[in-house]
Amino acid sequence: MSGRTPARNPGSRVLLACIGLVALNLRGPFVAVAPVADLIQADLQFPPAVLGLLTSIPVLCFALAAPLASSAARRFGVEFAVTLTLLGVMAGVVVRSAGGSLLVMVGTVLIGLAITVGNIAVPLIIRRDVPLARQGFAMGIYTAALNIGAFLTSAATAPLAEAAGWRVALAAAAILAAVAVSSWTLAVGPGKAFRVSPERSGDTALPPVRGSGWITAGLAVAFAMQAFSYYGVTAWLPSYLHDELGMSVTGAGAASSIFQVLAIVGALGVPVATRFMSTTAVAVTLGALWITVPLGLLLAPGLWWLWSISGGIAQGGGATVIFLTTIRLARDQISAGRMSAVVQGSGYRLAATAPPLLGLVHEASGSWTPALLVLLASVVIFVVSTTASVRRIPRDR
């Protein structure tokens, strides 16, 4: 840690709480669309393809706007970038709920761009202001909060829409963003939260890691496969359970939520596991858990709940390991932002193709087996690339 900028934010507990509050807003606003998709379609007469854009546009923003988000974090400073994220989310959810088709699309784009900035800025906050020994725990909180936010929003949106309409239900996400921006402002101070303060390039004396370019490429592949597998399972597990096991649509949706909830265990379990195991061993363990999902659904679909548990742990832990390795590989804040943009940008590009590709394979074959084999291939590549990348990072970083 020698040479790193001393923490400029308040005590670690307050900072960790703020990281959690911010992360709650980085997935929920766009996954909230799924529970009320039928209501939106009935009201606005959206064709199915356009309706699908309401969930795919933010993921495309994650992919295409990651370099822009990295530049924003560097030019404005990470404190101000986090503020921009939360204000952007607030504006986006309000605009999306305020009018007709055009405003729905404009608001969705605003949400996607704002969250992209947060995807880059929050890990940079962790790298700079959290002591090295607690960065794993902080990254676990961040990843867990992403999943908690998505789960809570998905669970609350449908009942709220039934009581007050889909517009109010989607706009309600602004409340959580307002709480987060207020807490963030109080924690870091209005001067930092609302003032441009460019990141400095010479903030560290850490030596470069040999082969860092190849490691970054490996992490990009790892994140791409992780994200592809995650979005593929998220999109199609309910349909699989309905088709193969005869579950009702409602029951399949509720059953698949296990996959989302157990990510919290994986995210918070990684920093605990690394106290007793090497990062390489943790990556291999998570890979083994991930592999059980496609293999288990192929060979023993009746145990879907077990594969959902292991897969949920694996997807939460896998994202945590990749995020943590990325910030530890970087020499300074600027390189950390650029590496995050490369890793996340490439990953989300592939992730956006997962739902339509797996759906196309399933439709063309008339069976879920080929789609599960594609998923198995992506998980195997994730295991290999993650293990090869994390073992090259020095333990003292």
Side-chain angles (χ1 to χ4, degrees):
M1 285 291 289
S2 60
R4 288 195 178 182
T5 303
R8 289 180 280 173
N9 279 329
S12 59
R13 291 183 180 179
V14 174
L15 179 59
L16 291 177
C18 285
I19 288 171
L21 279 173
V22 172
L24 289 176
N25 292 274
L26 299 186
R27 292 297 180 270
F30 73 87
V31 302
V33 170
V36 294
D38 291 342
L39 298 178
I40 297 174
Q41 186 174 28
D43 188 9
L44 300 179
Q45 302 300 309
F46 276 161
V50 175
L51 189 67
L53 289 176
L54 297 184
T55 53
S56 61
I57 282 176
V59 180
L60 291 173
C61 287
F62 297 168
L64 301 178
L68 178 63
S70 176
S71 177
R74 182 174 69 252
R75 293 176 181 275
F76 300 148
V78 287
E79 286 93 352
F80 188 56
V82 170
T83 305
L84 283 179
T85 294
L86 298 171
L87 293 178
V89 168
M90 290 174 61
V93 297
V94 171
V95 169
R96 184 177 61 181
S97 302
S101 303
L102 179 60
L103 287 183
V104 168
M105 289 298 177
V106 171
T108 301
V109 172
L110 285 175
I111 291 169
L113 293 175
I115 293 177
T116 305
V117 175
N119 288 342
I120 300 295
V122 175
L124 293 180
I125 289 282
I126 292 173
R127 181 189 183 276
R128 191 194 65 190
D129 293 337
V130 176
L132 182 62
R134 293 179 60 82
Q135 285 181 359
F137 181 61
M139 196 63 75
I141 288 178
Y142 168 66
T143 308
L146 292 176
N147 289 276
I148 292 171
F151 173 73
L152 292 179
T153 304
S154 296
T157 299
L160 186 56
E162 185 176 350
W166 68 266
R167 295 181 186 277
V168 172
L170 293 185
I175 298 173
L176 187 56
V179 171
V181 76
S182 299
S183 301
W184 181 249
T185 302
L186 291 174
V188 304
K192 292 180 180 178
F194 292 93
R195 184 180 64 198
V196 173
S197 180
E199 292 293 312
R200 295 181 294 118
S201 59
D203 66 342
T204 181
L206 290 177
V209 175
R210 184 177 180 181
S212 60
W214 288 107
I215 300 174
T216 302
L219 290 173
V221 172
F223 187 75
M225 294 299 103
Q226 157 83 13
F228 181 94
S229 303
Y230 168 76
Y231 282 103
V233 173
T234 297
W236 292 112
L237 182 58
S239 297
Y240 172 89
L241 296 176
H242 173 70
D243 294 346
E244 297 296 314
L245 301 180
M247 288 188 181
S248 67
V249 174
T250 302
S256 64
S257 66
I258 296 174
F259 177 74
Q260 305 294 338
V261 173
L262 266 294
I264 301 168
V265 176
L268 296 178
V270 164
V272 176
T274 52
R275 296 181 182 179
F276 307 98
M277 306 163 60
S278 68
T279 307
T280 303
V282 172
V284 171
T285 302
L286 293 171
L289 290 173
W290 243 130
I291 286 175
T292 65
V293 177
L295 277 183
L297 293 177
L298 282 169
L299 302 177
L303 296 176
W304 61 267
W305 55 271
L306 181 59
W307 317 135
S308 294
I309 290 173
S310 61
I313 294 172
Q315 59 102 345
T320 303
V321 167
I322 294 170
F323 288 149
L324 186 59
T325 303
T326 302
I327 64 172
R328 287 186 174 175
L329 173 64
R331 296 189 65 198
D332 53 37
Q333 286 291 92
I334 291 179
S335 63
R338 289 171 177 165
M339 289 177 187
S340 292
V342 170
V343 171
Q344 294 190 41
S346 59
Y348 285 122
R349 285 188 194 98
L350 187 60
T353 69
L357 176 60
L358 294 178
L360 180 63
V361 170
H362 167 61
E363 183 177 358
S365 64
S367 168
W368 282 107
T369 298
L372 289 174
L373 290 175
V374 173
L375 188 65
L376 176 61
S378 72
V379 173
V380 170
I381 297 173
F382 161 78
V383 176
V384 174
S385 54
T386 304
T387 304
S389 299
V390 301
R391 66 188 297 270
R392 302 280 299 276
I393 304 298
R395 292 182 63 86
D396 60 351
R397 295 178 70 123

